[in-house]
Amino acid sequence: MADKYPTEKLKTWGEAKDIRLGYYKDFAEAHEKGGLRWAGGAWAFDAVPAGLGDDVHSLTGEPYAASIAFNKEFSDECLEATEKYGFARDLCSYMRNYWGSILLNKYNFGGEFPKPDFIWTDHICCSHAKWYQVAAELEGGVPYYCIDVAVGPHEEADENRIEYIVGQLHDGIEWMEQVTGRTYDDNKLIEAVKNEFRSTSAWAETCALNKAIPAPLDEKSMYSLYVLGTLMKHSKVVADFYEKLRDETKDRVERGIAAVPTETTRVMTDTQPPWAFLRVFRYLEQYGCVSIGSLYTFGLIGLFEVKEDGSWGPKTTPMELGTSITNRDEALTELVKWNLAKPEWQHFYSPKYKSDMMIRIAREWKLDGVLLHYNRGCEGLSLGIAENRLALQEAGYPVMIFEGNMGDEREFDEARTMGRIDAFMETLGIMKEV
Amino acid sequence: MIEMFKEWFDARHEYAKEWKEKTGGKVLGYFCTYVPEEILYAADVLPVRILGSHEPQDVTEPYIFGMFCPFCRDCLAQGLKGRYDYLDGIMISQSCLHIRQAYTSWEMHIPVPYSYYLPMPNNVQSPRALPYLVGEMEKFKKSVEEWTGKTITDDDLNRGIEIMNRNRELMMQVYETRKGEKPPLTGLEAMYMVVSGQMMHKDDHSSTLEGTLKELDGRNADRNVGQRLMIIGSEDDDTEFINMVEGCGATLVVDDHCTGSRYFWNTVEPNGSPLEAIAQRYIDRPRCPSKDWGERSRLPHIMKLAKDYNAAGAILVQQKFCDPHELDIPAIKNELESNDIPTLFLELDVTVPIGQFKTRVEAFLEMLMEEDLF
Ligand code: SF4
Ligand code: SF4
């Protein structure tokens, strides 16, 4: 297929890779340097433990488990170990990979599994709190703290709901002081909270830039970029990186640089992909088809708002609004309010929120169709997916569904999925040119 | 009298329709037992639990992805088939994600005048949960007032509490009788009792319970009790399955189910503010797995039941794909077995493969009997 647009590698690519590997290394080596380690979900309020000091490092479960899933052989070992222990095969596959890594006492980045000093997580799907309850037990009784964030959709968030979460965070800080013996520094918290606002807003802006034709980014690359926000969105390093990436993406748009130079067709996907089979995206490219992202890649960490012209763009940060954040309570309250607006948290309450957001993306990002991953690995993000399919179809978007599992390759039929893609592209009237 | 409960269980829809006709009141279908029924009774609304029918169906396919539990699909199917066409409202109190889908799909595809999502806290072990839940219950009360056009006073709430508490206390007395060497009722009968109570007015149910309690003395004295078992797990109103287990030479003496003891185990303790008292009750109740953290409060509770009811073994059942229960099963199994209570694990689907399960139950009972010998 002849190129329609110029393309070039992302300049910031290597930096993203370095930050990611550094993160896992820092966690493993934290103790050698007198630092602390905590573990928890990628949705944990990671800005809060930052108040314990700069030498506190985390391991967030979902991206860690995804990195295991990418490594098929080790993943199989982990899944088997978890099943042998007695856990059901249909549970969250991230969780099973993670537990397997503890059970085998093997770290995906080499050496033994680095035991955390404490667990700090939050709960919105049925698995979150239980994931770490079990992890804490498997690790021989690590101190555990979990914050319930399941208080309903953002549009209904009121003082009572915000206060419930803020209260748990206040208690959590006292708890952290107790279990670590450290004094908490509110200034570090405030700084981390501000970094989180910067990171998640800049990421949303980057995603919004992908509305351009040709798309400056493709979803497969976005996976390697958004992940930083699931590791430590509160850190200065990540906030700075995302602003740099945003600027680079803006420049690509201005210069008409495409992620897929043959772009003729635009789609989005949904939920985590089967990590061991990312080549599906390269297969799409043979059709000149670019996946511009998904609600998942955009909204797992990105924070959006409806702009004056009615379109979706980056959420204005409290700093840009001139909101003062001078003490612990203000920092926690702003942090909670911000997080409650997370797009990926809305559809836990009704599929209509997700359908509306997906239809918005389909329109604004000018899509030709949608690929829905009926993901057996994550009950949280595949909640209501059948309803999303109906809604998208009703809105006039062709939908292809494929079944799989983000973290358990035994549940993904690659050949069948490629076959489905062929059929779907045919219905869209697109021919493959290799 | 005890047969009445089965009749009500079987004729749940007829009962609700008749009640509506007789009283002119509103009926609300609820999806989870964390719904504060006290507030509904205070408003003279009849709460009925939405449950499945254990028939194979294919009407839910377009709405719920197949990896979600069969029970939630079975519930939605009832709505899609029009079996609950008499409902004036539906509601859910936050529990697991699976049943939430049944609720949201119902809301979207089966028109009903009133619908409410109560975000029951999951972190019930946090001191922050009580004030939060009180706040949510205030909002819910207001919403019911708007819906029914009736103001709910503290007296009304106290009446709602009394109706619920009386029923709970009576059910506790019924369960108390099962501790004895010759339980006067079977597990199947107990299930009919609890589940029918979830579908009918508590006053009717309680009056019959009072009569039944008098009948229990010496009842079933010649029935062979066989092995005393307890049953633990996710939603379970599968009477055919319970009947099969008890037909194999066992008696289910106690359970930890939301269609069983978890539903009525603790009462509302008056403390001045009725809403606060109600909220406290739902926070303290025997927990569902997804609300049982950081401590595992289910383990001591289950062990106490096993001891009080002298259970020789436990059947752990769960709906296929039921994540919350799957997450607790290894810990429960380990706790029971390390306390010398053998377990049998079974996975329920909409319809249960009775033949296959029977073989497994028989083998389990045989193993228990062998243990008796030594
Ligand atoms: S099921 Fe999905 S949302 Fe829930 S913990 Fe697992 S990956 Fe996260
Ligand atoms: S059986 Fe399990 S998954 Fe299904 S509704 Fe009940 S708790 Fe939820």
Side-chain angles (χ1 to χ4, degrees), chain A residues 90 137 148 158 171 379 387, chain B residues 98 105 122 139 296 326:
Chain A
D90 52 83
E137 287 165 356
D148 179 13
D158 60 10
D171 296 349
E379 62 144 18
E387 295 286 4
Chain B
H98 300 234
S105 283
N122 289 316
K139 278 188 256 172
R296 285 194 184 272
E326 282 174 345

Side-chain angles (χ1 to χ4, degrees), chain A residues 27-91:
Chain A
F27 183 76
E29 293 171 359
H31 281 180
E32 289 160 33
K33 297 174 186 159
L36 287 176
R37 290 202 284 244
W38 66 269
W43 280 343
F45 292 93
D46 55 344
V48 182
L52 290 174
D54 298 333
D55 57 350
V56 178
H57 298 280
S58 66
L59 180 71
T60 48
E62 296 92 329
Y64 175 64
S67 71
I68 295 178
F70 189 68
N71 176 355
K72 267 205 277 183
E73 232 167 79
F74 182 46
S75 173
D76 282 349
E77 262 184 71
C78 289
L79 296 169
E80 267 171 35
T82 303
E83 277 159 35
K84 211 167 125 208
Y85 188 85
F87 282 105
R89 212 176 135 157
D90 52 83
L91 286 169

Side-chain angles (χ1 to χ4, degrees), chain B residues 69 71-72 96-99 234-235 258 319 321-325:
Chain B
C69 96
F71 167 65
C72 68
C96 76
L97 295 184
H98 300 234
I99 195 74
S234 43
E235 188 281 339
C258 64
Q319 297 280 341
F321 304 131
C322 172
D323 298 61
H325 285 276

Side-chain angles (χ1 to χ4, degrees), chain B residues 34 124-125 262 283 285-289 291-292 297-298:
Chain B
Y34 272 101
V124 286
Q125 300 187 13
R262 276 212 298 275
I283 282 173
R285 70 168 254 188
R287 282 159 193 152
C288 283
K291 296 191 194 294
D292 199 31
S297 70
R298 294 187 72 207

Side-chain angles (χ1 to χ4, degrees), chain A residues 43 62 91-95 124-128 131 272 348 377-382 406, chain B residues 97 323:
Chain A
W43 280 343
E62 296 92 329
L91 286 169
C92 164
S93 57
Y94 278 172
M95 182 167 74
I124 194 166
C125 87
C126 296
S127 309
H128 282 108
W131 169 337
Q272 308 89 325
F348 282 95
C378 171
E379 62 144 18
L381 301 191
S382 55
M406 73 225 183
Chain B
L97 295 184
D323 298 61

